[in-house]
Amino acid sequence: MRALARPAEPTVNPLEEYFRTNQGRLLHKWMHYFDIYDRHFRPFRGTDVTLVEFGVFHGGSLQMWKHYFGPRARIIGVDVNPACKQLEEDRIEIVIGDQEDRAFLAGLRDRVGPADIVIDDGGHTMAQQIATFEEMFQAVRYGGVYLVEDLHTSYWEEYGGGLRSPGSFIEYAKDLVDQLHGWHIRQDPPPVTDYTRQLRGMHVYDSVIVFDKEVVPPPDVRKTGRESF
């Protein structure tokens, strides 16, 4: 009789472990975010990763990223509050500016150069999230990821959202789904955009969307093997 296999030991999420034992600066996170982060960010650990995070708060997440990615990481925090500048430390740079200001964001792209990861944990208003995505997705290098969190504000009127509100980031993202499928839309010519050519995938979670950026060629369908009848 074959012995039953033992269930796999639960994998320790290094980000959640850091959070639970944190003695550094203040961290404030929804607990289900840690699995999302680790799933999409793990390939960048130990590399020369450049990460840009909008929303510094007390600087705790910047320290978490520094620990998680390792000594080769370049961490850049962006916040509108000038007091955040004092939170700079080795391998953590703070840039002060308004994430709704497209001129500032264009300058930030030039200053930072290509980024591997961009995280929007800033002011969470619809105008801020959309402006930041449209300006900073351009800064993400191919093979990188763009993550927007706290998207439950898309359902809150005080942030400019509301269920199926046309101005919310969730509704904006639904349009990006259409653009991702631009090659298949039966129009002449097909409505192919830069996002059609650069969005490899979109991963939708509770309050989080992760965008994968790649060079996306037109879809190519082929057949192999013999016909059965």
Side-chain angles (χ1 to χ4, degrees), residues 156-229:
W156 295 353
E157 288 79 5
E158 64 268 33
Y159 285 83
L163 180 62
R164 299 190 179 90
S165 170
S168 77
F169 192 88
I170 289 292
E171 294 302 314
Y172 178 84
K174 291 176 184 178
D175 180 68
L176 291 174
V177 172
D178 291 335
Q179 293 188 57
L180 185 152
H181 291 89
W183 295 107
H184 303 286
I185 297 174
R186 291 176 171 173
Q187 294 179 10
D188 188 18
V192 173
T193 69
D194 287 343
Y195 293 119
T196 313
R197 297 185 176 93
Q198 296 180 349
L199 270 179
R200 170 59 68 188
M202 296 169 58
H203 310 264
V204 181
Y205 305 92
D206 173 4
S207 302
V208 175
I209 300 180
V210 183
F211 302 87
D212 295 325
K213 185 173 180 179
E214 290 282 2
V215 176
V216 182
D220 180 17
V221 60
R222 305 183 185 188
K223 293 180 180 180
T224 63
R226 297 176 299 178
E227 293 185 357
S228 299
F229 50 85

Side-chain angles (χ1 to χ4, degrees), residues 5-75:
R6 291 184 177 181
E9 292 293 326
T11 302
V12 176
N13 184 315
L15 288 164
E16 184 174 343
E17 183 179 39
Y18 179 94
F19 177 83
R20 292 187 182 278
T21 60
N22 176 40
Q23 298 297 312
R25 296 194 176 113
L26 182 64
L27 268 169
H28 183 211
K29 291 290 182 182
W30 294 93
M31 296 305 293
H32 70 280
Y33 284 10
F34 294 113
D35 284 340
I36 300 169
Y37 294 148
D38 190 49
R39 176 178 299 176
H40 294 278
F41 296 167
R42 181 177 287 272
F44 298 95
R45 296 189 76 188
T47 70
D48 297 317
V49 60
T50 295
L51 178 147
V52 180
E53 181 172 38
F54 288 84
V56 171
F57 192 48
H58 289 267
S61 64
L62 300 179
Q63 289 186 326
M64 179 177 70
W65 302 132
K66 177 180 172 179
H67 178 270
Y68 177 74
F69 288 108
R72 295 161 59 186
R74 177 190 180 203
I75 309 298

Side-chain angles (χ1 to χ4, degrees), residues 131-144:
T132 303
F133 180 82
E134 290 183 347
E135 298 298 330
M136 293 305 296
F137 188 75
Q138 303 175 49
V140 178
R141 70 174 81 242
Y142 293 117

Side-chain angles (χ1 to χ4, degrees), residues 114-136:
D116 300 284
I117 299 171
V118 174
I119 302 169
D120 185 355
D121 185 23
H124 309 315
T125 70
M126 304 305 101
Q128 289 170 327
Q129 290 171 340
I130 292 171
T132 303
F133 180 82
E134 290 183 347
E135 298 298 330
M136 293 305 296

